[in-house]
Amino acid sequence: MKRYQRALCVGLTVFLLAACGKTLELNPKETVDQLQKDLTFTDEMAELDKDNACRIYGVDETLVDDCAGLRGSGATAENLSVWKADSADDAEEIKAQLQSFLESWTEGYADYKPEEVPKLESAVLSSAENYVILCVSADNDTAETLINGILHP
């Protein structure tokens, strides 16, 4: 009888611990829309679909399950994108590709519009589970707080 009770307690504990673990579920488009409302962008932002986002950011489309993004006119370095990958490993690869994008843009803007470089240097690039968020805005400190709240509730 004690073995049965012990097995039942262990099984119940495992079940309860599994039920407590939350999986992050984001809709990239809704997340972009919410961040756009809450953040300061000085540029006119245009929406990006998956194909254009992958092309502009240099992200391998086979890694991307879904994404949404906003891009400024080019007069500023401002942009925002939310990426959903099929796995955490794919999300880390997307993050690495976005880091390369940021480095390339920082070099390009250093000659073109050096006043935009601080935005790029303080850009928010964060990930959790299958999601990656990149934001270059006029207020990256606020962006970081908001994005951390989304990815790490």
Side-chain angles (χ1 to χ4, degrees), residues 28-29 32 46-49 53 57 67-71 79-82:
K29 172 78 170 104
V32 164
E47 289 187 19
L48 295 172
D49 62 14
Y57 291 102
C67 73
L70 298 172
R71 182 175 184 204
N79 63 82
L80 169 65
S81 59
V82 177

Side-chain angles (χ1 to χ4, degrees), residues 61-98:
E61 193 171 341
T62 64
L63 300 172
V64 181
D65 180 45
D66 191 13
C67 73
L70 298 172
R71 182 175 184 204
S73 66
T76 71
E78 295 178 344
N79 63 82
L80 169 65
S81 59
V82 177
W83 306 80
K84 179 181 179 185
D86 288 323
S87 69
D89 288 342
D90 287 352
E92 284 304 308
E93 181 58 32
I94 290 170
K95 186 176 180 181
Q97 292 174 7
L98 291 172

Side-chain angles (χ1 to χ4, degrees), residues 79-138:
N79 63 82
L80 169 65
S81 59
V82 177
W83 306 80
K84 179 181 179 185
D86 288 323
S87 69
D89 288 342
D90 287 352
E92 284 304 308
E93 181 58 32
I94 290 170
K95 186 176 180 181
Q97 292 174 7
L98 291 172
Q99 182 62 46
S100 293
F101 164 82
L102 280 173
E103 291 166 5
S104 173
W105 262 38
T106 302
E107 288 177 27
Y109 269 91
D111 291 332
Y112 171 61
K113 289 192 103 175
E115 65 273 14
E116 290 296 303
V117 171
K119 288 181 189 176
L120 289 160
E121 291 176 337
S122 66
V124 181
L125 178 58
S126 188
S127 63
E129 297 179 27
N130 295 7
Y131 297 93
V132 182
I133 300 177
L134 169 64
C135 183
V136 179
S137 74

